Every structure is written in structure tokens, then in C-alpha cells.
């Protein structure tokens, strides 16, 4: 590999370089195999072993270590063209969606995208200060779910406001909310998950129409201050889908 190739691939760890080039990095033969069959455009493909039907450029393990974003380099790496989605003006009231308000940790972002895929949630609306879904750490954490879940970045309070005006239920997890296990839940709507340290911002909270609480057990117990945002999202999504299955 040339020095300029290595430098360019390494630069894709930075959001600005990804935005300017329209490319992101994916690593590992399983993930890259899924990308190749998904229809997404693979710009360049490198591997340390014969694979992908001869499509990959063969490089040495030491070169792979130089371009890898992982602590332990995998056997293959690809640069992939980022898909472009049109962001709806408002959410669809008949479908369940997630909204992430300043969720900045890449691990949390990747895990939430993965659980959205698991629970059949196809749309995630993110505030513009949330972690970039094409950050290498996020891509790896999604375990391929990034291919099936559309992640939109938008002015989140405005989208929530328009959704409420269209009759969409907007749920938020808050300490003063009603017990999620006894509150009525709709099959569709938006579930807002807040920042890791500060929760849902006042600008987004103003448009939450249904406040929910994940209670500790027992209810009187004073243990951890809060749940990790990805863990909380999993609990909430599971309860929504459990309730929908009962009704269905």
C-alpha cells in the first residue's frame, strides 16, 4: 500500500474526513460480506487472505495493522460509500421509532442501532450532536444492523413538534414518568432516549406527550442513580413489543 492510501484510510476515523469523502470504514469478513450483498457501494476492499471471490486487494498483516481502527486488526477492511436517506418531516404514527437526544457515546449508539434492528425498528432520529453512526466504533458495534436501520440526523425538537402535530405519540423516559409496565402504550410512536449524563433536553422534553419510568425493583429501593441509555432503550423497546404482541 502507498503512504497516501494508508493516510487516507486512517483519516476516516475523523467525522470531517468521512463527510468530505462520503466514505466510512468497515472491518471483518462477516460485516463486509453483508455489505457486499446489501447493495451498498464498496469503494475499496483489502484483505490479508484470499476471500471475497478475488475482489479484495491483498495486503500484508502489518499493513492491515496500520490501516485498522481496531485494537486488534481483523483480516479484512473496506471503505464504503455512505447511503443517503431523505429525512421525513415527521414520524409515522403507525410505526415505532427511536429518537436519540445527544447520545454521544459511540458504544451506546452502536448498541442502540443493533437493538433497534432486533426489535424491528427501522428508523432512528438523532439530534445533530449525537454520535456519528458511521464512526468506526459505532459501525463495528452495530454488528451489521447499520445496513437495516435508517439513522437520520436532524433538528430533533422540530421533528418531535411536527410529529405531535400529526398525532404521533412521543414517549420519553423520565424520573417523574408513569410506570412503563402499567402505562398504556401504543403500537406506533417515537421513544425519546436522552443524553448519557443529563437525560432528555428541555427542548425535546417540551414535546414529550407520554412520560415513562422504568422502575427499580423493589420500587422503594435506592440503588443505582439511573440505567445506561442503551440498557434503558432495550427495556423500553422490549416492553413496547411485548405489549404489541399481546394485543396482536
Amino acid at each position: 500500500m502507498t503512504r497516501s492510501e494508508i493516510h487516507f484510510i486512517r483519516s476516516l476515523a475523523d467525522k470531517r474526513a468521512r463527510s468530505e469523502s462520503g466514505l466510512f470504514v468497515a472491518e471483518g469478513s462477516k460485516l463486509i460480506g453483508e455489505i457486499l450483498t446489501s447493495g451498498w457501494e464498496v469503494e475499496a476492499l483489502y484483505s490479508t487472505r484470499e476471500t471475497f471471490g478475488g475482489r479484495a486487494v491483498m495486503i500484508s498483516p502489518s499493513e492491515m495493522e496500520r490501516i485498522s481502527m481496531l485494537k486488534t486488526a481483523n483480516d479484512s477492511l473496506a471503505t464504503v460509500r455512505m447511503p443517503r436517506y431523505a429525512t421525513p418531516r415527521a414520524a409515522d404514527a403507525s410505526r415505532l421509532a427511536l429518537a436519540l437526544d445527544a447520545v454521544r457515546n459511540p458504544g451506546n449508539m452502536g448498541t442502540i442501532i443493533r437493538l433497534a434492528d432486533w426489535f424491528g425498528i427501522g428508523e432512528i432520529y438523532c439530534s445533530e450532536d449525537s454520535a456519528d453512526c458511521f464512526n468506526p466504533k459505532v459501525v463495528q458495534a452495530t454488528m451489521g444492523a447499520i445496513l437495516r436501520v435508517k439513522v437520520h440526523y436532524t433538528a430533533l425538537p422540530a421533528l418531535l413538534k411536527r410529529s405531535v402535530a400529526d398525532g404521533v405519540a412521543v414517549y420519553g423516559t423520565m424520573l417523574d414518568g408513569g410506570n412503563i409496565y402499567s402505562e398504556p402504550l401504543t403500537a406506533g410512536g417515537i421513544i425519546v432516549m436522552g443524553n448519557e449524563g443529563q437525560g432528555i433536553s428541555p427542548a425535546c422534553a417540551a414535546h414529550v406527550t407520554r412520560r415513562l419510568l422504568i422502575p427499580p425493583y423493589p420500587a422503594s429501593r435506592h440503588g443505582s442513580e439511573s440505567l445506561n441509555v442503551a440498557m434503558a432503550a432495550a427495556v423500553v423497546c422490549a416492553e413496547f413489543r411485548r405489549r404489541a404482541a399481546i394485543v396482536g
Side-chain angles (χ1 to χ4, degrees), residues 96 98 110-124 142-146 148-149 233-235 237-239 241-242:
L96 196 61
L98 287 172
T111 300
I112 291 171
I113 295 171
R114 186 177 177 185
L115 72 88
D117 184 38
W118 181 261
F119 286 111
I121 297 172
E123 309 272 351
I124 298 179
T142 70
M143 300 291 285
I146 190 70
R148 295 175 290 276
V149 178
V235 171
C237 290
E239 180 59 15
R241 289 314 196 201
R242 185 190 73 85

Side-chain angles (χ1 to χ4, degrees), residues 17-24 80-84:
R18 292 194 298 273
S19 297
E20 291 176 351
S21 66
L23 298 172
F24 71 95
V80 185
R81 183 70 52 186
M82 292 188 289
R84 301 296 181 187

Side-chain angles (χ1 to χ4, degrees), residues 113-182:
I113 295 171
R114 186 177 177 185
L115 72 88
D117 184 38
W118 181 261
F119 286 111
I121 297 172
E123 309 272 351
I124 298 179
Y125 304 102
C126 299
S127 62
E128 292 166 340
D129 57 349
S130 290
D132 179 16
C133 67
F134 293 110
N135 176 305
K137 292 181 180 178
V138 176
V139 172
Q140 295 306 124
T142 70
M143 300 291 285
I146 190 70
L147 299 168
R148 295 175 290 276
V149 178
K150 294 181 180 179
V151 182
H152 307 278
Y153 290 84
T154 186
L156 193 55
L159 181 135
L160 295 176
K161 182 179 181 180
R162 292 191 297 268
S163 297
V164 171
D166 286 354
V168 180
V170 177
Y171 296 89
T173 52
M174 300 177 177
L175 293 176
D176 63 348
N179 188 323
I180 188 172
Y181 301 116
S182 56

Side-chain angles (χ1 to χ4, degrees), residues 178-229:
N179 188 323
I180 188 172
Y181 301 116
S182 56
E183 287 291 304
L185 304 177
T186 54
I190 305 177
I191 302 168
V192 184
M193 305 303 300
N195 173 266
E196 289 87 350
Q198 300 175 351
I200 299 173
S201 66
C204 287
H207 306 295
V208 170
T209 57
R210 307 192 184 194
R211 303 162 85 92
L212 300 174
L213 169 70
I214 301 172
Y217 184 85
S220 59
R221 182 174 180 270
H222 297 288
S224 298
E225 183 177 301
S226 63
L227 288 174
N228 168 277
V229 64

Side-chain angles (χ1 to χ4, degrees), residues 52-85:
F52 304 116
R55 290 190 57 173
V57 174
M58 300 300 297
I59 62 174
S60 68
S62 62
E63 287 176 316
M64 184 61 74
E65 288 178 3
R66 293 181 68 186
I67 62 174
S68 176
M69 311 287 178
L70 305 175
K71 289 183 178 179
T72 302
N74 219 310
D75 60 3
S76 52
L77 180 148
T79 56
V80 185
R81 183 70 52 186
M82 292 188 289
R84 301 296 181 187
Y85 305 123

